[in-house]
Amino acid sequence: MKKPPMMFRVVVVGMVIVVGACVIAGQGVGHAAQAVQTPPLPARPQPPIDWIGTYTAEGSSPTGTYTATMAIVQHGQAYEVQWTFPNGDGMVGVGFLYNGDLVVGYTGGGPGVIVYHVVARTPLTLEGRWTGWGFDTVSPERAVKGPPAARAQR
């Protein structure tokens, strides 16, 4: 009977060593198969978020629901945020990016804070959680970039 080629014997011996090491380490044979698999390709980096623009914001508070037009302007590493409500009232805030979220302190009817997290890129959609002076709860807000008419045409 003819002997298998030398390379075949080296591969078989190597696999036996890997499986044996996994069994001895208590990992089982399943981990031996995983150890020889190719790792997945790294995720393609996303382009940076363009926060600047006009948004339609809708949310709720302990006293009811609201809508507002929200504008974000960048000043270096800081962001200015302005909310204008249908009755003409408004609020203004200043914030910065932290771990990919926009954190904003605001005033107008009392001080407060809101944190926006990106949930969709097209159109840019932000989920916010906010609270203000005098409230003992955290309330939701959703802001979608672009005026309502422009979003309806997409």
Side-chain angles (χ1 to χ4, degrees), residues 12-90:
V12 170
V13 169
M15 291 184 70
V16 168
I17 290 171
V18 170
V19 171
C22 288
V23 170
I24 290 170
Q27 299 293 321
V29 177
H31 285 283
Q34 290 175 358
V36 295
Q37 290 181 353
T38 306
L41 293 174
R44 188 178 304 175
Q46 294 280 344
I49 301 294
D50 179 17
W51 297 87
I52 301 165
T54 303
Y55 297 73
T56 300
E58 297 177 340
S60 64
S61 74
T63 60
T65 61
Y66 63 88
T67 61
T69 299
M70 182 175 83
I72 299 178
V73 178
Q74 186 173 0
H75 301 283
Q77 293 181 324
Y79 291 84
E80 175 187 345
V81 182
Q82 294 184 2
W83 295 265
T84 305
F85 299 96
N87 66 1
D89 290 345

Side-chain angles (χ1 to χ4, degrees), residues 80-103:
E80 175 187 345
V81 182
Q82 294 184 2
W83 295 265
T84 305
F85 299 96
N87 66 1
D89 290 345
M91 299 186 316
V92 64
V94 63
F96 58 91
L97 297 178
Y98 183 76
N99 287 338
D101 294 338
L102 181 59
V103 181

Side-chain angles (χ1 to χ4, degrees), residues 81-152:
V81 182
Q82 294 184 2
W83 295 265
T84 305
F85 299 96
N87 66 1
D89 290 345
M91 299 186 316
V92 64
V94 63
F96 58 91
L97 297 178
Y98 183 76
N99 287 338
D101 294 338
L102 181 59
V103 181
V104 180
Y106 64 85
T107 187
V113 64
I114 188 165
V115 178
Y116 288 109
H117 179 75
V118 175
V119 294
R121 287 179 166 258
T122 307
L124 183 59
T125 304
L126 312 176
E127 285 288 334
R129 295 290 180 266
W130 68 271
T131 191
W133 187 262
F135 295 116
D136 59 358
T137 61
V138 175
S139 299
E141 180 176 289
R142 176 179 276 258
V144 180
K145 190 173 185 181
R151 285 199 316 274

